[in-house]
Amino acid sequence: SLVEGVRDAGVHRLVIVGGAGTLEVAPGEAACDQPGFPEEYLPEALAHRDALAYLRTEVDDLDWTYISPAAEIGPGERTGEFRIGGDRMLTDAGGQSRISAEDYAMAFVDQLEMPVHPHGRMSVAY
């Protein structure tokens, strides 16, 4: 419905807040498919997987970007220092995947203003 609404409105740009559960923790292995993935987040992760698959296979007429945050996202500080990736979950030297909501929002707005990931997913983490 969202894609159809964007098309009907004559807008050609769509940026979506995605989830981290579909990010790869190893080649071809999503976080949501791993043992111990929190059950309470599984329905949301599977819905995000479907949404991303739909964009990749069915939406070639819109300039879309799907932005996945780190595995842990929450209130914090806006540092302006973060990494941008693709389908792979970004982790720090300690193996943690995290980002503040403030820095995620900053990366999101950056992508709105200067798109560098058309027709794809980007991930954001420290």
Side-chain angles (χ1 to χ4, degrees), residues 16-101:
I16 297 175
V17 173
T22 59
L23 288 168
E24 292 183 346
V25 294
E29 296 183 26
C32 65
D33 295 329
Q34 303 305 303
F37 187 83
E39 281 292 318
E40 63 269 23
Y41 298 130
L42 189 56
E44 181 180 351
L46 296 177
H48 275 285
R49 182 188 327 223
D50 291 346
L52 182 57
Y54 173 77
L55 290 169
R56 286 180 166 162
T57 61
E58 303 295 326
V59 183
D60 59 1
D61 60 324
L62 299 177
D63 179 12
W64 62 267
T65 302
Y66 182 98
I67 305 178
S68 291
E72 295 178 28
I73 182 172
E77 292 184 35
R78 178 179 166 182
T79 68
E81 296 182 20
F82 45 81
R83 295 179 296 148
I84 301 295
D87 288 323
R88 187 78 186 247
M89 184 176 288
L90 297 173
T91 58
D92 61 20
Q96 298 296 310
S97 176
R98 58 184 192 79
I99 188 81
S100 71

Coordinates of all heavy atoms in Angstrom, one line a residue, residues 16-101:
I16 N 12.8 4.0 3.7 CA 12.1 3.2 4.7 C 13.0 2.9 5.9 O 14.2 2.5 5.8 CB 11.7 1.9 4.1 CG1 10.7 2.2 2.9 CG2 11.1 0.9 5.1 CD1 10.2 1.0 2.2
V17 N 12.4 3.1 7.1 CA 13.1 2.6 8.3 C 12.9 1.1 8.4 O 11.8 0.6 8.5 CB 12.4 3.3 9.6 CG1 13.0 2.7 10.9 CG2 12.6 4.8 9.5
G18 N 14.0 0.4 8.3 CA 14.0 -1.0 8.3 C 14.4 -1.6 9.7 O 14.4 -0.8 10.7
G19 N 14.6 -2.9 9.7 CA 15.0 -3.5 11.0 C 16.3 -4.2 10.9 O 16.9 -4.3 9.8
A20 N 16.9 -4.5 12.0 CA 18.2 -5.2 12.1 C 18.1 -6.7 12.0 O 19.1 -7.3 11.6 CB 18.9 -4.8 13.4
G21 N 17.0 -7.3 12.2 CA 16.9 -8.7 12.3 C 17.2 -9.4 10.9 O 17.6 -10.6 10.9
T22 N 17.0 -8.7 9.8 CA 17.3 -9.3 8.5 C 18.8 -9.1 8.1 O 19.2 -9.6 7.0 CB 16.4 -8.7 7.5 OG1 16.6 -7.3 7.4 CG2 14.9 -9.0 7.8
L23 N 19.6 -8.3 8.9 CA 21.0 -8.1 8.5 C 21.7 -9.5 8.6 O 21.4 -10.3 9.5 CB 21.6 -7.1 9.4 CG 21.2 -5.6 9.2 CD1 21.6 -4.7 10.3 CD2 21.7 -5.1 7.8
E24 N 22.7 -9.7 7.8 CA 23.4 -10.9 7.8 C 24.5 -10.9 8.9 O 25.2 -9.9 9.0 CB 24.2 -11.1 6.4 CG 23.2 -11.4 5.3 CD 24.0 -11.6 4.0 OE1 25.2 -11.4 3.9 OE2 23.3 -12.1 3.0
V25 N 24.6 -12.0 9.6 CA 25.6 -12.1 10.6 C 26.7 -13.0 10.1 O 27.8 -13.1 10.7 CB 25.0 -12.7 11.9 CG1 24.1 -11.7 12.6 CG2 24.3 -14.0 11.7
A26 N 26.5 -13.7 9.0 CA 27.4 -14.5 8.2 C 26.8 -14.5 6.8 O 25.6 -14.3 6.6 CB 27.5 -15.9 8.8
P27 N 27.6 -14.8 5.8 CA 27.1 -14.8 4.4 C 25.8 -15.7 4.3 O 25.9 -16.9 4.6 CB 28.3 -15.3 3.6 CG 29.5 -14.9 4.4 CD 29.1 -15.1 5.8
G28 N 24.7 -15.0 3.9 CA 23.5 -15.7 3.7 C 22.7 -16.1 4.9 O 21.7 -16.8 4.8
E29 N 23.2 -15.7 6.1 CA 22.5 -16.0 7.4 C 22.1 -14.7 8.1 O 22.9 -14.0 8.6 CB 23.5 -16.8 8.3 CG 23.9 -18.1 7.7 CD 24.8 -18.9 8.7 OE1 24.7 -18.7 9.9 OE2 25.6 -19.7 8.2
A30 N 20.8 -14.6 8.2 CA 20.2 -13.4 8.8 C 20.2 -13.6 10.3 O 20.1 -14.7 10.8 CB 18.8 -13.2 8.3
A31 N 20.3 -12.5 11.0 CA 20.2 -12.5 12.5 C 19.0 -13.2 13.0 O 19.0 -14.0 14.0 CB 20.3 -11.1 13.1
C32 N 17.9 -12.9 12.4 CA 16.6 -13.5 12.8 C 16.5 -15.0 12.7 O 15.6 -15.6 13.2 CB 15.4 -12.8 12.1 SG 15.3 -13.1 10.4
D33 N 17.4 -15.6 11.9 CA 17.4 -17.0 11.7 C 18.3 -17.8 12.7 O 18.5 -19.0 12.6 CB 17.8 -17.4 10.3 CG 16.8 -16.9 9.2 OD1 15.6 -16.8 9.6 OD2 17.2 -16.6 8.1
Q34 N 19.0 -17.0 13.5 CA 20.0 -17.6 14.4 C 19.3 -18.1 15.7 O 18.3 -17.5 16.2 CB 21.1 -16.5 14.8 CG 21.8 -16.0 13.6 CD 22.4 -17.1 12.7 OE1 23.2 -17.9 13.2 NE2 22.0 -17.1 11.5
P35 N 19.8 -19.1 16.3 CA 19.3 -19.6 17.6 C 19.5 -18.5 18.6 O 20.5 -17.7 18.6 CB 20.3 -20.8 18.0 CG 20.9 -21.2 16.7 CD 21.0 -20.0 15.8
G36 N 18.5 -18.3 19.4 CA 18.5 -17.3 20.5 C 18.0 -15.9 20.0 O 17.9 -15.0 20.9
F37 N 17.6 -15.8 18.8 CA 17.0 -14.5 18.4 C 15.7 -14.3 19.2 O 14.9 -15.3 19.3 CB 16.7 -14.5 16.9 CG 16.2 -13.2 16.4 CD1 17.1 -12.2 16.0 CD2 14.9 -12.9 16.2 CE1 16.7 -11.0 15.5 CE2 14.4 -11.7 15.8 CZ 15.3 -10.7 15.4
P38 N 15.5 -13.2 19.8 CA 14.4 -13.0 20.7 C 13.0 -13.2 20.0 O 12.7 -12.6 18.9 CB 14.5 -11.5 21.1 CG 15.9 -11.2 20.9 CD 16.4 -12.0 19.7
E39 N 12.3 -14.1 20.5 CA 10.9 -14.5 19.9 C 10.0 -13.3 19.8 O 9.3 -13.2 18.8 CB 10.3 -15.5 20.8 CG 10.8 -16.9 20.6 CD 10.4 -17.5 19.3 OE1 9.3 -17.3 18.8 OE2 11.3 -18.1 18.7
E40 N 10.1 -12.3 20.7 CA 9.2 -11.2 20.6 C 9.5 -10.3 19.4 O 8.6 -9.5 19.0 CB 9.2 -10.4 21.9 CG 10.5 -9.7 22.3 CD 11.4 -10.6 23.1 OE1 11.3 -11.8 23.1 OE2 12.3 -10.0 23.8
Y41 N 10.7 -10.4 18.9 CA 11.0 -9.6 17.7 C 10.9 -10.3 16.4 O 11.0 -9.7 15.3 CB 12.4 -9.0 17.8 CG 12.6 -8.1 19.0 CD1 13.7 -8.3 19.9 CD2 11.8 -7.1 19.3 CE1 13.9 -7.5 21.0 CE2 12.0 -6.2 20.3 CZ 13.0 -6.4 21.2 OH 13.2 -5.6 22.3
L42 N 10.7 -11.6 16.4 CA 10.7 -12.4 15.2 C 9.6 -12.0 14.2 O 9.9 -11.9 13.0 CB 10.6 -13.9 15.6 CG 10.8 -14.9 14.4 CD1 12.1 -14.6 13.7 CD2 10.7 -16.3 14.9
P43 N 8.3 -11.8 14.6 CA 7.3 -11.4 13.6 C 7.7 -10.1 12.9 O 7.5 -10.0 11.7 CB 6.0 -11.2 14.5 CG 6.2 -12.1 15.7 CD 7.7 -12.0 16.0
E44 N 8.2 -9.2 13.6 CA 8.6 -7.9 13.0 C 9.8 -8.1 12.1 O 9.8 -7.6 10.9 CB 9.0 -6.9 14.1 CG 9.5 -5.6 13.6 CD 9.9 -4.6 14.7 OE1 9.7 -4.9 15.9 OE2 10.4 -3.6 14.3
A45 N 10.7 -8.9 12.4 CA 11.9 -9.2 11.6 C 11.4 -9.9 10.3 O 11.9 -9.6 9.2 CB 12.9 -10.1 12.3
L46 N 10.5 -10.9 10.4 CA 10.0 -11.6 9.2 C 9.2 -10.6 8.3 O 9.3 -10.7 7.1 CB 9.2 -12.8 9.6 CG 10.0 -13.9 10.4 CD1 9.1 -15.0 10.8 CD2 11.2 -14.4 9.6
A47 N 8.5 -9.7 8.9 CA 7.8 -8.7 8.1 C 8.7 -7.8 7.4 O 8.5 -7.5 6.2 CB 6.8 -7.9 9.0
H48 N 9.8 -7.4 8.0 CA 10.8 -6.6 7.4 C 11.5 -7.4 6.3 O 11.8 -6.8 5.2 CB 11.9 -6.1 8.4 CG 11.5 -4.9 9.1 ND1 11.5 -3.7 8.5 CD2 11.0 -4.7 10.4 CE1 11.1 -2.8 9.4 NE2 10.8 -3.4 10.5
R49 N 11.7 -8.7 6.4 CA 12.3 -9.5 5.4 C 11.4 -9.5 4.2 O 11.9 -9.3 3.0 CB 12.6 -10.9 5.9 CG 13.2 -11.8 4.8 CD 13.3 -13.2 5.1 NE 13.5 -13.5 6.5 CZ 14.3 -14.4 7.0 NH1 15.1 -15.2 6.2 NH2 14.4 -14.7 8.3
D50 N 10.1 -9.6 4.4 CA 9.2 -9.6 3.3 C 9.2 -8.3 2.6 O 9.1 -8.2 1.3 CB 7.8 -10.0 3.8 CG 7.6 -11.4 4.2 OD1 8.5 -12.3 3.9 OD2 6.6 -11.7 4.9
A51 N 9.2 -7.2 3.4 CA 9.2 -5.9 2.8 C 10.4 -5.6 1.9 O 10.3 -5.1 0.8 CB 9.0 -4.8 3.9
L52 N 11.6 -6.0 2.4 CA 12.8 -5.8 1.7 C 12.8 -6.6 0.4 O 13.2 -6.2 -0.7 CB 14.0 -6.1 2.5 CG 15.4 -5.9 1.9 CD1 15.5 -4.4 1.4 CD2 16.5 -6.2 2.9
A53 N 12.3 -7.9 0.5 CA 12.3 -8.7 -0.7 C 11.3 -8.1 -1.7 O 11.6 -8.2 -2.9 CB 11.8 -10.1 -0.3
Y54 N 10.2 -7.6 -1.3 CA 9.3 -7.0 -2.2 C 9.9 -5.8 -2.9 O 9.8 -5.7 -4.1 CB 8.0 -6.5 -1.4 CG 7.1 -5.7 -2.2 CD1 6.2 -6.3 -3.2 CD2 7.0 -4.3 -2.1 CE1 5.3 -5.5 -4.0 CE2 6.1 -3.5 -2.9 CZ 5.3 -4.2 -3.8 OH 4.5 -3.4 -4.6
L55 N 10.6 -4.9 -2.2 CA 11.3 -3.8 -2.8 C 12.3 -4.3 -3.8 O 12.4 -3.7 -4.9 CB 12.0 -3.0 -1.7 CG 11.1 -2.2 -0.8 CD1 11.9 -1.6 0.4 CD2 10.4 -1.1 -1.5
R56 N 13.1 -5.3 -3.5 CA 14.1 -5.8 -4.4 C 13.6 -6.4 -5.6 O 14.2 -6.3 -6.7 CB 15.0 -6.7 -3.6 CG 15.9 -6.0 -2.6 CD 16.8 -7.0 -1.9 NE 17.9 -6.3 -1.2 CZ 18.6 -6.8 -0.2 NH1 18.4 -8.0 0.2 NH2 19.6 -6.0 0.3
T57 N 12.5 -7.1 -5.5 CA 12.0 -7.8 -6.7 C 10.8 -7.2 -7.5 O 10.6 -7.5 -8.6 CB 11.5 -9.2 -6.2 OG1 10.4 -9.1 -5.3 CG2 12.6 -10.0 -5.6
E58 N 10.1 -6.2 -6.8 CA 8.9 -5.7 -7.4 C 9.0 -4.2 -7.7 O 8.1 -3.7 -8.4 CB 7.7 -6.0 -6.6 CG 7.5 -7.5 -6.3 CD 7.1 -8.2 -7.6 OE1 6.5 -7.7 -8.5 OE2 7.5 -9.4 -7.6
V59 N 9.9 -3.5 -7.1 CA 9.9 -2.0 -7.2 C 11.2 -1.5 -7.9 O 12.2 -1.3 -7.3 CB 9.8 -1.4 -5.8 CG1 9.7 0.1 -5.9 CG2 8.6 -1.9 -5.1
D60 N 11.0 -1.3 -9.2 CA 12.2 -0.8 -10.0 C 11.9 0.6 -10.6 O 12.8 1.2 -11.2 CB 12.6 -1.8 -11.1 CG 11.4 -2.1 -12.1 OD1 10.3 -1.5 -11.9 OD2 11.7 -2.8 -13.0
D61 N 10.7 1.1 -10.3 CA 10.3 2.4 -10.8 C 10.5 3.5 -9.8 O 10.3 4.7 -10.1 CB 8.9 2.3 -11.3 CG 7.9 2.0 -10.3 OD1 8.2 1.2 -9.4 OD2 6.8 2.5 -10.3
L62 N 10.8 3.2 -8.5 CA 11.0 4.2 -7.5 C 12.5 4.1 -7.0 O 13.1 3.1 -7.1 CB 10.1 3.9 -6.3 CG 8.6 3.9 -6.5 CD1 7.9 3.6 -5.2 CD2 8.1 5.3 -7.1
D63 N 12.9 5.3 -6.6 CA 14.3 5.4 -6.0 C 14.1 5.1 -4.5 O 13.8 6.0 -3.7 CB 14.8 6.8 -6.3 CG 16.2 7.0 -5.7 OD1 16.8 6.0 -5.3 OD2 16.6 8.2 -5.6
W64 N 14.2 3.9 -4.1 CA 14.0 3.5 -2.8 C 15.3 3.1 -2.1 O 16.3 2.7 -2.7 CB 13.0 2.3 -2.7 CG 13.5 1.0 -3.3 CD1 13.3 0.6 -4.6 CD2 14.3 0.0 -2.7 NE1 13.9 -0.6 -4.9 CE2 14.5 -1.0 -3.7 CE3 14.9 -0.2 -1.5 CZ2 15.3 -2.1 -3.5 CZ3 15.7 -1.3 -1.3 CH2 15.9 -2.3 -2.3
T65 N 15.3 3.3 -0.8 CA 16.4 2.9 0.1 C 15.8 2.4 1.4 O 14.8 3.0 1.9 CB 17.3 4.1 0.4 OG1 17.8 4.7 -0.8 CG2 18.5 3.7 1.3
Y66 N 16.3 1.3 1.9 CA 15.9 0.6 3.1 C 17.0 0.8 4.1 O 18.1 0.3 3.8 CB 15.6 -0.8 2.7 CG 15.1 -1.7 3.9 CD1 13.7 -1.9 4.0 CD2 15.9 -2.3 4.8 CE1 13.2 -2.8 5.0 CE2 15.4 -3.1 5.8 CZ 14.1 -3.3 5.9 OH 13.6 -4.1 6.9
I67 N 16.8 1.4 5.2 CA 17.8 1.7 6.2 C 17.7 0.9 7.4 O 16.7 1.1 8.2 CB 17.9 3.2 6.5 CG1 18.0 4.1 5.2 CG2 19.1 3.5 7.4 CD1 18.0 5.5 5.4
S68 N 18.6 0.0 7.7 CA 18.6 -0.8 8.9 C 19.5 -0.3 10.0 O 20.6 0.0 9.7 CB 19.1 -2.2 8.6 OG 18.1 -2.9 7.7
P69 N 19.0 -0.1 11.2 CA 19.8 0.3 12.3 C 20.6 -0.9 12.8 O 20.5 -2.0 12.4 CB 18.8 0.7 13.3 CG 17.6 -0.2 13.1 CD 17.6 -0.4 11.6
A70 N 21.5 -0.6 13.8 CA 22.2 -1.7 14.4 C 21.3 -2.5 15.2 O 20.1 -2.2 15.4 CB 23.3 -1.0 15.4
A71 N 21.7 -3.6 15.8 CA 20.9 -4.5 16.5 C 20.3 -3.8 17.8 O 19.2 -4.1 18.2 CB 21.7 -5.8 17.0
E72 N 21.1 -3.0 18.4 CA 20.7 -2.2 19.6 C 20.6 -0.7 19.2 O 21.6 -0.1 18.8 CB 21.6 -2.4 20.7 CG 21.7 -3.8 21.2 CD 22.7 -3.9 22.4 OE1 23.0 -2.9 23.1 OE2 23.3 -5.0 22.5
I73 N 19.4 -0.2 19.3 CA 19.2 1.2 19.0 C 18.3 1.8 20.2 O 17.4 1.2 20.6 CB 18.5 1.4 17.7 CG1 18.3 2.9 17.4 CG2 17.2 0.7 17.5 CD1 17.8 3.3 16.0
G74 N 18.7 3.0 20.6 CA 18.0 3.6 21.7 C 18.5 5.0 21.9 O 19.4 5.5 21.3
P75 N 17.8 5.7 22.9 CA 18.2 7.1 23.1 C 19.7 7.1 23.6 O 20.2 6.2 24.2 CB 17.3 7.5 24.3 CG 16.2 6.5 24.3 CD 16.7 5.2 23.7
G76 N 20.3 8.2 23.1 CA 21.7 8.4 23.5 C 22.2 9.7 23.1 O 21.4 10.7 23.1
E77 N 23.4 9.8 22.6 CA 24.0 11.1 22.2 C 24.1 11.1 20.6 O 24.3 10.1 20.0 CB 25.4 11.3 22.8 CG 25.4 11.4 24.3 CD 26.8 11.7 24.8 OE1 27.6 12.4 24.1 OE2 27.1 11.2 25.9
R78 N 24.0 12.3 20.1 CA 24.3 12.5 18.7 C 25.8 12.8 18.6 O 26.3 13.9 19.0 CB 23.5 13.7 18.2 CG 23.7 14.0 16.8 CD 22.9 15.2 16.3 NE 23.3 15.7 15.1 CZ 22.8 16.7 14.4 NH1 21.8 17.3 15.0 NH2 23.3 17.1 13.3
T79 N 26.5 11.9 18.0 CA 28.0 12.1 17.9 C 28.4 12.5 16.5 O 29.4 13.0 16.3 CB 28.7 10.8 18.3 OG1 28.4 9.8 17.3 CG2 28.3 10.2 19.6
G80 N 27.5 12.1 15.5 CA 27.9 12.3 14.1 C 29.0 11.4 13.6 O 29.4 11.5 12.5
E81 N 29.3 10.4 14.4 CA 30.4 9.4 14.0 C 29.8 8.0 14.0 O 29.4 7.5 15.1 CB 31.5 9.5 15.0 CG 32.3 10.9 14.9 CD 33.5 10.9 15.8 OE1 34.0 9.8 16.2 OE2 33.9 12.0 16.2
F82 N 29.6 7.5 12.9 CA 29.0 6.1 12.7 C 29.5 5.6 11.4 O 30.1 6.3 10.6 CB 27.5 6.2 12.8 CG 26.9 7.3 12.0 CD1 26.7 7.1 10.6 CD2 26.5 8.5 12.6 CE1 26.1 8.2 9.8 CE2 26.0 9.5 11.8 CZ 25.8 9.4 10.5
R83 N 29.3 4.3 11.2 CA 29.6 3.6 10.0 C 28.4 3.3 9.2 O 27.4 3.0 9.7 CB 30.4 2.4 10.3 CG 31.8 2.7 10.9 CD 32.5 1.4 11.2 NE 31.8 0.6 12.2 CZ 31.8 -0.7 12.2 NH1 32.5 -1.4 11.4 NH2 31.2 -1.4 13.2
I84 N 28.6 3.3 7.9 CA 27.5 2.9 6.9 C 27.9 1.6 6.3 O 29.0 1.5 5.8 CB 27.3 4.0 5.9 CG1 26.9 5.4 6.5 CG2 26.2 3.6 4.9 CD1 25.6 5.4 7.2
G85 N 27.0 0.7 6.2 CA 27.3 -0.6 5.5 C 26.1 -1.0 4.6 O 25.3 -0.1 4.2
G86 N 26.1 -2.2 4.3 CA 25.1 -2.8 3.4 C 24.2 -3.8 4.1 O 23.6 -3.5 5.1
D87 N 24.3 -5.0 3.6 CA 23.4 -6.1 4.1 C 24.0 -6.8 5.4 O 23.3 -7.5 6.0 CB 23.2 -7.2 3.1 CG 22.3 -6.7 2.0 OD1 21.3 -6.0 2.3 OD2 22.5 -7.1 0.8
R88 N 25.3 -6.6 5.6 CA 26.0 -7.2 6.7 C 25.8 -6.4 8.0 O 25.9 -5.2 8.0 CB 27.5 -7.4 6.4 CG 28.3 -8.2 7.4 CD 28.0 -9.7 7.2 NE 28.7 -10.4 8.2 CZ 29.7 -11.2 7.9 NH1 30.1 -11.4 6.7 NH2 30.2 -11.9 8.9
M89 N 25.5 -7.1 9.1 CA 25.4 -6.4 10.4 C 26.8 -5.8 10.8 O 27.8 -6.6 10.9 CB 24.9 -7.3 11.5 CG 24.7 -6.6 12.8 SD 23.9 -7.6 14.1 CE 22.3 -7.8 13.5
L90 N 26.8 -4.6 11.1 CA 28.1 -3.9 11.5 C 28.2 -4.1 13.0 O 27.3 -3.9 13.8 CB 28.0 -2.4 11.2 CG 28.0 -2.1 9.7 CD1 27.8 -0.6 9.6 CD2 29.2 -2.5 9.0
T91 N 29.4 -4.5 13.4 CA 29.7 -4.6 14.9 C 31.0 -3.9 15.2 O 31.8 -3.6 14.3 CB 29.9 -6.1 15.3 OG1 30.9 -6.7 14.5 CG2 28.6 -6.9 15.1
D92 N 31.2 -3.5 16.5 CA 32.4 -2.9 16.9 C 33.5 -3.9 17.3 O 33.2 -5.2 17.1 CB 32.1 -1.9 18.1 CG 31.6 -2.6 19.3 OD1 31.7 -3.8 19.5 OD2 31.0 -1.9 20.1
A93 N 34.6 -3.5 17.8 CA 35.7 -4.4 18.1 C 35.3 -5.5 19.1 O 35.8 -6.6 19.2 CB 36.9 -3.7 18.6
G94 N 34.3 -5.1 20.0 CA 33.8 -6.1 21.0 C 32.7 -6.9 20.5 O 32.1 -7.7 21.3
G95 N 32.3 -6.8 19.2 CA 31.2 -7.7 18.7 C 29.8 -7.1 18.9 O 28.8 -7.8 18.6
Q96 N 29.7 -5.9 19.4 CA 28.4 -5.3 19.7 C 28.0 -4.5 18.5 O 28.8 -3.9 17.8 CB 28.5 -4.3 20.9 CG 28.9 -5.0 22.2 CD 27.9 -6.0 22.6 OE1 26.7 -5.6 22.7 NE2 28.3 -7.2 22.9
S97 N 26.7 -4.5 18.2 CA 26.1 -3.8 17.1 C 25.1 -2.8 17.8 O 24.0 -3.2 18.3 CB 25.3 -4.7 16.2 OG 24.6 -4.0 15.2
R98 N 25.5 -1.5 17.8 CA 24.6 -0.5 18.4 C 24.7 0.8 17.7 O 25.7 1.1 17.0 CB 24.9 -0.4 19.9 CG 26.3 -0.1 20.2 CD 26.6 0.0 21.7 NE 27.9 0.6 21.9 CZ 28.2 1.9 21.9 NH1 27.2 2.7 21.7 NH2 29.4 2.4 22.1
I99 N 23.7 1.6 18.0 CA 23.6 3.0 17.4 C 22.7 3.8 18.3 O 21.7 3.2 18.8 CB 23.2 3.0 15.9 CG1 23.4 4.4 15.3 CG2 21.8 2.6 15.8 CD1 24.7 4.8 14.9
S100 N 22.9 5.0 18.5 CA 21.9 5.9 19.2 C 20.8 6.2 18.2 O 21.1 6.3 17.0 CB 22.6 7.1 19.8 OG 22.9 8.0 18.8
A101 N 19.6 6.5 18.8 CA 18.5 6.9 17.9 C 18.9 8.3 17.2 O 18.5 8.5 16.1 CB 17.3 7.1 18.7

